[in-house]
């Protein structure tokens, strides 16, 4: 059999060394600075209901709110349970 | 009320202002820039925040920083200041870690063991890392690596 460069040989993880020396940066280790925005999900209070309308005007008026996003802002529907709808 | 404490972190003596309720983990990560110890559970379950406090491995999330005034702390970053040590090399060679989130704590626990007991049995190793949770590779390659390095050190 030909001598391959990788096949049949042990390969070390490319990020192995940084993980065992504490150098690896995980998301919680990142500093996003004071401009980091926080998101809050508001769920329906009803277990099974039809959305007739969502009024976000009051929420948008709250101090510090940058943007209120609803399903209307995302044009696609996907997901396991969407076929029920 | 803020208090100034002095700790030696990885060989460097440093002063830091802490609140009485700051944990050592918070101070290391947020005030001293040592991001090696991770916040896994923040309640002493997982062991990924382990550091050596005066040579003893402790959970930095369960220790108040203010209690460590005057002590010496070694985190994963300072464990082998002259590049990766034999234990770390063997961990890498054996692909002992996958996501690596538990690696800082397990490496600290293993170093404490090997410092105190250079020829541990498999049971000793299992006992030493019993306070560290790993959710990916499982413990076998980690235990094998610690045993491998202890045998290697012995033959030197």
């Amino acid at each position: 059999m030909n001598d391959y460069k990788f096949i049949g040989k042990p390969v070390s993880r490319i990020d192995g060394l940084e993980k065992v020396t504490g150098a690896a940066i995980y998301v919680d280790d990142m500093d996003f600075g004071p401009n980091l925005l926080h998101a809050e999900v508001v769920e329906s209070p009803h277990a099974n209901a039809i959305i007739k309308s969502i009024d976000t005007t009051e929420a948008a008026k709250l101090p510090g709110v940058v943007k209120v996003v609803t399903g209307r802002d995302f044009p696609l529907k996907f997901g396991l349970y969407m076929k029920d709808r | 009320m803020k208090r100034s404490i002095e700790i030696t972190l990885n060989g460097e003596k440093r002063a830091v202002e802490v609140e009485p309720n700051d944990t050592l983990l918070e101070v290391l990560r947020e005030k001293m820039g040592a991001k090696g110890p991770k916040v896994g559970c923040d309640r002493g379950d997982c062991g990924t925040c382990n550091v050596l406090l005066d040579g003893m491995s402790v959970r930095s999330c369960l220790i108040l920083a203010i209690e460590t005034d005057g002590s010496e702390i070694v985190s994963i970053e300072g464990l082998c200041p002259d590049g990766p040590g034999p234990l770390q090399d063997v961990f890498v060679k054996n692909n002992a870690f996958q996501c690596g989130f538990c690696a800082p704590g397990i490496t600290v626990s293993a170093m404490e063991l090997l410092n105190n007991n250079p020829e541990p049995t498999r049971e000793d190793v299992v006992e030493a890392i019993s306070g560290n949770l790993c959710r990916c590779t499982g413990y076998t390659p980690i235990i094998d690596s610690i045993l491998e390095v202890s045998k290697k050190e012995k033959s030197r």
Side-chain angles (χ1 to χ4, degrees), chain B residues 86-156:
Chain B
L87 174 66
Q88 288 156 322
D89 285 338
V90 172
F91 275 152
V92 175
K93 178 177 80 72
N94 293 349
N95 289 332
F97 297 109
Q98 202 175 102
C99 87
F101 201 75
C102 69
I106 290 190
T107 309
V108 167
S109 296
M111 282 296 268
E112 185 204 30
L113 169 74
L114 294 174
N115 286 344
N116 297 327
N117 178 4
E119 293 173 37
T121 63
R122 194 171 187 90
E123 284 63 43
D124 294 335
V125 174
V126 170
E127 173 76 36
I129 62 162
S130 62
N132 294 84
L133 299 184
C134 163
R135 293 282 107 116
C136 331
T137 45
Y139 303 96
T140 307
I142 298 169
I143 295 164
D144 289 346
S145 299
I146 299 171
L147 285 170
E148 186 180 324
V149 75
S150 72
K151 288 192 185 97
K152 221 187 252 176
E153 294 285 277
K154 202 172 120 190
S155 64
R156 226 175 248 177

Side-chain angles (χ1 to χ4, degrees), chain B:
Chain B
M1 194 191 70
K2 276 199 162 108
R3 287 267 195 87
S4 182
I5 61 164
E6 212 172 56
I7 54 183
T8 305
L9 175 61
N10 298 330
E12 193 187 340
K13 202 170 203 181
R14 289 167 64 175
V16 59
E17 298 262 304
V18 300
E19 296 284 350
N21 61 343
D22 282 347
T23 64
L24 178 59
L25 179 60
E26 285 167 340
V27 170
L28 290 177
R29 286 177 58 87
E30 310 305 334
K31 297 187 174 167
M32 304 185 84
K35 299 281 192 181
K38 305 293 180 219
V39 190
C41 63
D42 217 8
R43 53 176 222 188
D45 284 340
C46 75
T48 193
C49 67
N50 279 10
V51 297
L52 296 179
L53 172 66
D54 292 327
M56 197 172 74
S57 117
V58 295
R59 300 210 179 313
S60 60
C61 71
L62 292 185
I63 303 244
L64 291 173
I66 206 156
E67 292 178 298
T68 65
D69 192 9
S71 58
E72 190 179 334
I73 287 154
V74 178
S75 69
I76 177 76
E77 292 99 331
L79 221 44
C80 297
D82 309 316
L87 174 66
Q88 288 156 322
D89 285 338
V90 172
F91 275 152
V92 175
K93 178 177 80 72
N94 293 349
N95 289 332
F97 297 109
Q98 202 175 102
C99 87
F101 201 75
C102 69
I106 290 190
T107 309
V108 167
S109 296
M111 282 296 268
E112 185 204 30
L113 169 74
L114 294 174
N115 286 344
N116 297 327
N117 178 4
E119 293 173 37
T121 63
R122 194 171 187 90
E123 284 63 43
D124 294 335
V125 174
V126 170
E127 173 76 36
I129 62 162
S130 62
N132 294 84
L133 299 184
C134 163
R135 293 282 107 116
C136 331
T137 45
Y139 303 96
T140 307
I142 298 169
I143 295 164
D144 289 346
S145 299
I146 299 171
L147 285 170
E148 186 180 324
V149 75
S150 72
K151 288 192 185 97
K152 221 187 252 176
E153 294 285 277
K154 202 172 120 190
S155 64
R156 226 175 248 177

